[in-house]
């Protein structure tokens, strides 16, 4: 039965994240919510001072020798000259001292031991005069008792801890850490602590641990609960318990969109006031903000009223990428404000966009990027943008923001990228744009295991997309496996046609086996391209420009089969593993791909062709240490053995520079 509109939540007017943050700050009584506490000074690194701190002791507390040598009265040395030394007697004229020793009474200078001539045990000579307080650390040179050591609302560093102890401060007043409780929701959500294996329609809960790590990096005190089922009374009870346990902020994970089982907004209304429902950024739109008041309804009035008003309530989206946007763009600014912290911000660079990135106008969009240095600048390749793709978080080096009024970004656009990693790390990134192959994952792991690790970032846009990236100077190398039926050669005819005049080196990675990936046992008896024309066979294709799709089109043409006769020809995936997963799950009966993908998922394979998978490298980058390291790894016997273990690869040409007409080397 269809749901009525009254049974579903309806978004209120979405507002920019900055306005959502402003509403939260305006609704919270910061002095009342976050109190001062006193903690040991040696445990205070990262905390924020709640009041000014004044030195109790001077540092140093005595006049101290700053060098090894002898302590003297400077006036006794004024007559010393080169060739006409002054002689001093031990006890009356000098006293031996080491660095840090208290200066003997009456002495006001130190002569370095290198400048002292030892006559005998009790007599020395010096040939240069010492000036008053030479090589002496005077009382209070660093810190003077009673002076302001650190101001209020100062985030304490490791160095500050040292200064506190040196000044005789052993306890410090700091602001409380913000206590945040994350409550995951959903009947389909499994507690990861149970180490479950999810069935159909189930997912393992992980957002709480992403939240916990992020919030801890702010200096907050995060905690989480087991997943709460999709029942209003269960969610109300969980929120009430989190508040009763002392949470300053309660974050409800999922349950904040427009579905009929999304109870976050109604729950927040039971505890107080909803400040906003929806922010104007994608991903992250289904964010809810609320604040508790003393006007709880029903049973909650007796349990909580009067003592837990003024707590922040956040409804975070369930998809991980959306949830992270909610945490970073809305919750973090509020939490840092509560703790009187300044956000460290992100370093920003200019980068060239590797490919066109369309966007829907009307809402700001955050796009995650793989970034590396190519030539004299940086290249940013957009990662997959699904809100549920947690791998886009793990693979990203930066993000960029597409303005709400924009329809997207063109290829080669000059963009501002906010770095998620240190800038220096981008010089250790290998940027690959081109065809997907499982060897790339193996290669990425191998490179990260080197004594000086390299990170391989790969944008899977197909062989033709890789050639376009090389033409535009947007990649260090491109994986390519384009077969030309006329010459029976690989890649070179396409390089000649599409990249004329470019000085390129073609390095073989492997000869690989392409064929039809089919379900285990091949229940539909799919053995060749002719079977794709059968109406009961559902196919999953690769994207336009992919070498695998070009190979398919060639074999369809040879067999006299029109693309329109293949059910599923227009359904596209971007990797061999994605094709294999479609077959594994029954979303398709077969797809063209490499044997390694079929083997990885325990599927059957109908061989179709052998092809050469090459790495196309601009000659200008051959001396780049990253490319030299890449070649060295590929050429090792150990790496080639690992390639062969994946299945469906031959390494007879691996690491060799190819020439036109070599084909498969036969």
């Amino acid at each position: 039965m269809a749901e009525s509109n009254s049974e579903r939540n309806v978004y209120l007017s979405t507002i920019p994240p900055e306005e959502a943050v402003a509403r939260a700050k305006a609704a919270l009584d910061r002095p009342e919510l976050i109190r001062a506490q006193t903690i040991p000074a040696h445990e205070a690194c990262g905390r924020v001072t709640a009041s000014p701190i004044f030195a109790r002791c001077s540092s140093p507390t005595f006049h101290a020798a700053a060098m090894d040598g002898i302590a003297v009265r400077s006036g006794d040395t004024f007559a010393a000259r080169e060739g006409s030394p002054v002689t001093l007697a031990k006890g009356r004229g000098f006293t031996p001292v080491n660095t840090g020793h208290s200066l003997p009474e009456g002495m006001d200078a130190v002569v370095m031991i290198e400048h002292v001539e030892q006559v005998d045990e009790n007599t020395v000579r010096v040939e240069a005069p010492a000036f008053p307080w030479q090589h002496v650390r005077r009382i209070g040179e660093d810190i003077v008792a009673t002076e302001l050591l650190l101001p209020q609302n100062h985030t304490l560093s490791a160095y500050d801890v040292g200064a506190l102890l040196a000044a005789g401060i052993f306890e410090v007043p700091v602001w409380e850490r913000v206590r945040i409780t994350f409550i995951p929701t959903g009947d389909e959500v499994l507690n990861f602590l149970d180490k479950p294996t999810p069935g159909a329609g189930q997912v393992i809960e992980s957002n709480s641990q992403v939240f916990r790590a992020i919030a801890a990096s702010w200096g907050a005190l995060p905690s989480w609960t087991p997943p709460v089922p999709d029942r209003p009374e269960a969610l109300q009870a969980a929120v009430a318990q989190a508040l009763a346990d002392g949470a300053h902020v309660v974050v409800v994970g999922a349950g904040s969109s427009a579905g009929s089982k999304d109870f976050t907004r109604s729950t927040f209304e039971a505890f107080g006031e909803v400040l906003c429902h929806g922010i104007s950024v994608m991903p992250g739109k289904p964010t809810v903000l609320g604040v508790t008041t003393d006007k709880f309804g029903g049973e909650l009035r007796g349990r909580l009223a009067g003592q837990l008003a003024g707590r922040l309530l956040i409804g975070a989206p369930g998809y991980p990428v959306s949830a992270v946007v909610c945490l970073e763009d809305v919750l973090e600014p509020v939490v840092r404000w509560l703790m009187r912290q300044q956000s460290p911000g992100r370093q920003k660079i200019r980068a060239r966009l590797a490919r066109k990135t369309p966007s829907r106008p009307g809402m700001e969009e955050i796009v995650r990027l793989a970034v590396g240095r190519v030539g004299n600048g940086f290249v940013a390749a957009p990662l997959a943008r699904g809100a549920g793709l947690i791998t886009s978080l793990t693979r990203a080096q930066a993000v960029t923001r597409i303005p709400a009024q924009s329809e997207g970004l063109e290829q080669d656009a000059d963009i501002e990228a906010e770095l998620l990693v240190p800038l220096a790390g981008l010089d250790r990134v290998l940027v690959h744009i081109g065809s997907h192959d499982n060897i790339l994952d193996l290669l990425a792991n191998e490179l990260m295991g080197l004594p000086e690790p390299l990170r391989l970032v790969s944008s899977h846009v197909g062989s033709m997309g890789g050639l376009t990236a090389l033409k535009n100077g947007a990649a260090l190398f491109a994986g390519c496996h384009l077969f030309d039926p006329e010459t029976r050669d690989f890649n070179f005819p396409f390089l000649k046609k599409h990249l004329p005049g470019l000085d390129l080196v073609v390095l073989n990675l492997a000869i690989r086996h392409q064929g039809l990936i089919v379900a285990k046992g091949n229940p539909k008896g799919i053995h060749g391209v002719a079977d794709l024309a059968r109406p009961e066979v559902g196919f999953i294709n690769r994207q336009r420009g992919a070498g695998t799709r070009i190979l398919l089109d060639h074999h369809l043409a040879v067999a006299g089969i029109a693309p329109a006769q293949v059910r599923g020809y227009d359904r596209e995936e971007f990797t061999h593993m994605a094709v294999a997963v479609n077959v594994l799950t029954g979303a398709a009966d077969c797809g063209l791909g490499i044997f390694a993908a079929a083997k990885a998922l325990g599927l059957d394979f109908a061989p179709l062709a052998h092809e050469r998978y090459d790495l196309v490298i601009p000659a200008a980058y051959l001396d780049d240490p990253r490319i030299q390291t890449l070649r060295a790894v590929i050429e090792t016997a150990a790496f080639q053995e690992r390639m062969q273990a994946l299945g469906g690869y031959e390494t007879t040409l691996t690491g060799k520079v190819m020439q036109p007409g070599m084909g498969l080397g036969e």
Side-chain angles (χ1 to χ4, degrees), residues 643-661:
M643 286 170 51
Q644 293 170 9
L646 294 176
Y649 295 107
E650 300 173 21
T651 59
T652 52
L653 298 176
T654 299
K656 293 181 172 59
V657 175
M658 298 290 100
Q659 298 295 335

Side-chain angles (χ1 to χ4, degrees), residues 151-165:
Q152 63 179 328
N153 296 333
H154 172 79
T155 301
L156 294 164
S157 69
Y159 315 117
D160 294 328
V161 171
L164 288 168
L165 297 177

Side-chain angles (χ1 to χ4, degrees), residues 222-273:
S223 61
W224 78 97
T225 73
V228 173
D230 284 322
R231 296 197 305 275
E233 64 276 11
L235 182 55
Q236 280 199 9
V239 172
Q241 188 61 56
L243 292 171
D245 289 341
H248 300 116
V249 180
V250 177
V251 180
V252 175
S256 60
S257 67
S260 61
K261 285 190 175 182
D262 294 334
F263 304 121
T264 302
R265 192 183 78 182
S266 60
T267 297
F268 288 2
E269 289 171 338
F271 285 90
E273 175 188 358

Side-chain angles (χ1 to χ4, degrees), residues 16 20 44 46 59 104 130 143 149 183 269 272 284 356 381 411 461 500 508 568 640:
S59 178
I143 300 169
L149 186 63
I183 304 174
E269 289 171 338
K356 183 176 181 179
Q411 181 175 312
V461 298
N508 179 251
Q640 292 180 24

Side-chain angles (χ1 to χ4, degrees), residues 250-549:
V250 177
V251 180
V252 175
S256 60
S257 67
S260 61
K261 285 190 175 182
D262 294 334
F263 304 121
T264 302
R265 192 183 78 182
S266 60
T267 297
F268 288 2
E269 289 171 338
F271 285 90
E273 175 188 358
V274 171
L275 302 175
C276 82
H277 186 186
I279 57 174
S280 54
V281 62
M282 291 292 288
K285 178 182 176 182
T287 294
V288 182
L289 267 71
V291 63
T292 62
T293 69
D294 58 1
K295 299 178 180 179
F296 302 138
E299 179 189 352
L300 297 175
R301 180 181 300 277
R303 293 177 56 192
L304 300 174
Q307 58 177 338
L308 296 176
R311 307 295 176 100
L312 183 64
L313 305 173
I314 298 279
Y319 283 132
V321 183
S322 292
V324 166
V325 171
C326 169
L327 297 179
E328 293 181 342
D329 280 27
V330 178
L331 183 56
E332 179 180 2
V334 178
V335 169
R336 290 194 184 277
W337 171 76
L338 286 172
M339 294 192 299
R340 283 75 168 179
Q341 281 186 350
Q342 293 295 317
S343 173
R346 291 171 175 164
Q347 187 170 3
K348 297 177 181 179
I349 61 169
R350 305 303 301 184
R352 189 151 52 94
L353 198 63
R355 67 173 184 269
K356 183 176 181 179
T357 307
S359 183
R360 185 174 63 188
M363 191 168 294
E364 179 185 61
E365 182 173 7
I366 298 174
V367 179
R368 298 188 181 268
L369 308 167
V371 182
R373 186 183 292 277
V374 178
N376 296 321
F378 295 104
V379 169
L383 296 168
R385 288 187 280 172
L389 302 179
I390 196 167
T391 53
S392 70
L393 300 173
T394 64
R395 295 172 180 169
Q397 284 80 47
V399 299
T400 194
R401 297 172 186 266
I402 301 178
Q405 65 273 20
S406 172
E407 293 184 357
L409 301 170
E410 294 297 323
Q411 181 175 312
D412 292 327
D414 178 58
I415 63 169
E416 181 179 77
E418 304 172 23
L419 291 184
L420 306 175
V421 298
L423 177 62
L426 299 185
D427 289 328
R428 304 291 301 171
V429 171
L430 274 162
V431 180
H432 165 261
I433 299 178
S435 175
H436 170 258
D437 190 276
N438 288 22
I439 298 175
L440 295 174
D441 294 334
L442 184 68
L443 186 57
N445 184 64
E446 199 80 9
L447 291 167
M448 285 299 291
L450 296 174
E452 297 292 334
L454 288 177
R455 183 181 181 93
L456 174 63
V457 300
S458 189
S459 181
H460 304 136
V461 298
S463 295
M464 290 303 300
L467 298 190
T468 300
L470 292 180
K471 182 178 181 179
N472 296 328
L476 286 177
F477 68 104
C480 192
H481 60 105
L482 295 166
F483 176 67
D484 177 46
E486 183 176 340
T487 63
R488 308 297 295 178
D489 200 5
F490 293 89
N491 299 323
F492 284 103
F494 294 85
L495 299 181
K496 181 179 179 180
K497 178 180 179 180
H498 298 286
L499 280 74
L502 281 185
D503 189 5
L504 301 167
V505 173
V506 177
L507 189 75
N508 179 251
L509 185 60
I511 295 172
R512 64 184 192 177
H513 301 180
Q514 285 262 35
L516 295 172
I517 300 173
V518 298
K520 187 70 175 176
N522 197 4
K524 291 200 173 180
I526 301 169
H527 301 289
V529 171
D531 293 311
L532 301 185
R534 290 160 44 193
E536 73 275 16
V537 173
F539 186 73
I540 183 73
N541 208 349
R542 289 292 304 280
Q543 80 276 21
R544 288 181 177 86
T548 298
R549 179 149 172 170

